[in-house]
Amino acid sequence: MDAAVDASTSQFELNEEQRAIQEMAEAFAADRVAPNALDWDRRKHFPADVIRETGPLGLGGIYVRDDVGGSALGRLDAVLIFEALSRADPAFSSFISIHNMVASMIDRFGNDEQRRRFLPKLTSMEWLASYCLTEPGSGSDAAALKTRAVKSGGDYVLNGTKQFISGAGDSDVYAVMVRTGADGPKGISTIVVPKDAPGLSFGANEHKMGWHMQSTRQVIFEDCKVPAENLLSTEGAGFGIAMAGLDGGRLNIAACSLGGAQSALDKALSYTAERKAFGSKINQFQALQFRLADMETELQAARIFLYAAASKLDRKAPDAGKWSAMAKRFVTDTGFNVANDALQLLGGYGYLHDYGIEKLVRDLRVHQILEGTNEIMRVIIARALIGR
């Protein structure tokens, strides 16, 4: 295990099982993900086969109950997994996080029939899942979504469009937030839509700055018929379901930033120990040493903050939501800055695809936007502070 990671995890007295989980994820990532990450990025290839290999490892339902094949782990366990996977490829790890958000929503809010119908195939990774909240006209203002579901006999008929959906077209199941009632959050419901639902289609794969290995498309509903039995919980509960999924998702995406940034720092350390300038290895220059020292300090602070937030969510602490928002904001900002600094330390080589750091910079940039922008995280934190 990396000494830098071990030093800070010890602050949380990880037990033997947690260390084994961490090491399992690291070994899988090193063997099956890291050797392919640059190729997947270059070809914009969605590696569904390798993603499905994580199912037998228990990564398809990390915090799903075990009666339907889940691993029944905690949020700190999940953070350790996503951090480890992201050291090989943050985009790969992020998709596993999104899949787990959906599985967790069905496990937590679905009835027994829904859990047994959907979750065994999700936890095994036979089915992949996508989370559908954002729309072309409603990003940060999620409660303003327009996609509508109207009850018709034994079905709901959906019309509308979701935007920026990871895995769209490749996933088998979509957790879709729809409007079944009046404007505002109380009119929103959550419906599980299978890929073969009549009236469901997908837009073109978006040309993105990063996350190239993930497909990102619109999800389009045109008189899309879905059985009414696919409604999670009750009509009007959807906004709460969506937000409950996001607390854990924010910690996961922060963990993906942390792992990616650690990888960038490791690459910078290796490069600066070999590269010579003016007759010396460049890691002997004090200005560069100070930069490395700051990068290490900031990453360790981010790691401790993230683990503390995950522990609060595990304990269901009253301020867990605020801590999730603070950790998401702080860790994703720190992760991007550390990766960007690592690119600078490699100079022109950092800008080349084959060195891997420019990919990390591109991939980590979106973490400051998704699962709620970091500006929205500040709104959540401020409201918690002033008691709103």
Side-chain angles (χ1 to χ4, degrees):
M1 187 186 301
D2 183 88
V5 175
D6 188 55
S8 61
T9 56
S10 65
Q11 302 295 320
F12 292 85
E13 298 180 352
L14 297 188
N15 59 39
E16 220 174 287
E17 183 182 358
Q18 287 171 321
R19 290 187 180 278
I21 290 167
Q22 187 179 52
E23 289 166 6
M24 174 273 294
E26 286 175 348
F28 176 83
D31 180 48
R32 299 294 293 128
V33 181
N36 300 302
L38 288 178
D39 179 60
W40 293 338
D41 179 79
R42 189 181 298 113
R43 294 192 292 122
K44 297 180 172 59
H45 172 68
F46 183 76
D49 54 340
V50 180
I51 289 170
R52 288 193 166 92
E53 289 179 26
T54 66
L57 300 177
L59 304 189
I62 295 171
Y63 24 82
V64 171
R65 284 169 282 175
D66 58 11
D67 64 316
V68 286
S71 298
L73 298 176
R75 294 295 179 165
L76 178 54
D77 302 321
V79 160
L80 298 174
I81 290 167
F82 292 118
E83 180 185 356
L85 292 176
S86 290
R87 293 182 70 173
D89 188 349
F92 182 95
S93 183
S94 298
F95 182 80
I96 304 293
S97 169
I98 293 163
H99 172 94
N100 273 273
M101 281 176 62
V102 176
S104 175
M105 288 163 63
I106 297 172
D107 183 50
R108 183 173 172 186
F109 297 102
N111 58 37
D112 189 62
E113 186 278 329
Q114 290 169 332
R115 293 180 67 249
R116 296 192 180 282
R117 179 155 49 102
F118 291 112
L119 288 173
K121 292 188 176 181
L122 290 173
T123 56
S124 68
M125 285 288 195
E126 180 181 344
W127 286 351
L128 305 181
S130 290
Y131 177 92
C132 302
L133 176 62
T134 300
E135 295 185 1
S138 63
S140 295
D141 186 8
L145 65 85
K146 300 294 185 185
T147 296
R148 182 162 290 278
V150 177
K151 194 83 174 286
S152 176
D155 296 319
Y156 280 100
V157 180
L158 281 62
N159 282 283
T161 300
K162 296 295 180 178
Q163 183 77 29
F164 305 130
I165 306 304
S166 292
D170 293 303
S171 288
D172 304 281
V173 170
Y174 299 82
V176 186
M177 272 47 75
V178 296
R179 187 161 302 285
T180 53
D183 291 346
K186 293 182 179 179
I188 295 171
S189 302
T190 301
I191 297 177
V192 181
V193 180
K195 185 178 182 178
D196 61 0
L200 174 64
S201 62
F202 306 97
N205 198 5
E206 302 285 1
H207 297 286
K208 308 186 297 291
M209 175 180 176
W211 274 23
H212 287 167
M213 62 129 289
Q214 286 191 33
S215 53
T216 303
R217 296 182 172 91
Q218 288 188 334
V219 177
I220 303 163
F221 306 96
E222 297 175 299
D223 292 329
C224 175
K225 278 192 174 183
V226 181
E229 64 200 30
N230 285 20
L231 175 74
L232 284 188
S233 188
T234 59
E235 286 195 3
F239 190 75
I241 292 172
M243 295 303 106
L246 282 176
D247 269 350
R250 285 165 181 159
L251 295 181
N252 294 348
I253 212 67
C256 292
S257 286
L258 183 62
Q262 183 68 57
S263 177
L265 176 55
D266 292 345
K267 291 176 188 294
L269 285 168
S270 295
Y271 177 83
T272 56
E274 297 172 0
R275 175 74 168 176
K276 288 187 175 181
F278 308 106
S280 300
K281 291 180 179 178
I282 62 174
N283 67 1
Q284 298 306 301
F285 297 121
Q286 192 175 67
L288 190 147
Q289 291 175 351
F290 283 3
R291 178 76 67 92
L292 290 171
D294 285 345
M295 292 162 72
E296 170 70 359
T297 303
E298 287 156 14
L299 268 190
Q300 293 291 9
R303 183 171 284 114
I304 293 169
F305 196 166
L306 177 59
Y307 292 178
S311 297
K312 278 183 174 284
L313 200 55
D314 277 333
R315 298 195 309 272
K316 297 181 172 58
D319 58 352
K322 181 185 80 170
W323 274 73
S324 294
M326 291 194 298
K328 194 272 179 180
R329 200 289 300 165
F330 182 77
V331 180
T332 59
D333 281 350
T334 299
F336 175 78
N337 291 337
V338 167
N340 197 43
D341 283 349
L343 189 154
Q344 187 71 18
L345 291 178
L346 266 71
Y349 291 104
Y351 206 65
L352 299 182
H353 184 75
D354 288 347
Y355 283 74
I357 290 187
E358 64 86 30
K359 175 191 181 302
L360 291 169
V361 172
R362 288 188 287 105
D363 284 348
L364 297 192
R365 181 61 182 87
V366 75
H367 296 189
Q368 296 167 289
I369 298 171
L370 49 79
E371 312 290 24
T373 66
N374 284 2
E375 289 73 24
I376 291 296
M377 295 306 99
R378 290 179 172 91
V379 171
I380 293 169
I381 297 160
R383 285 177 177 175
L385 286 173
I386 64 177
R388 178 173 171 182

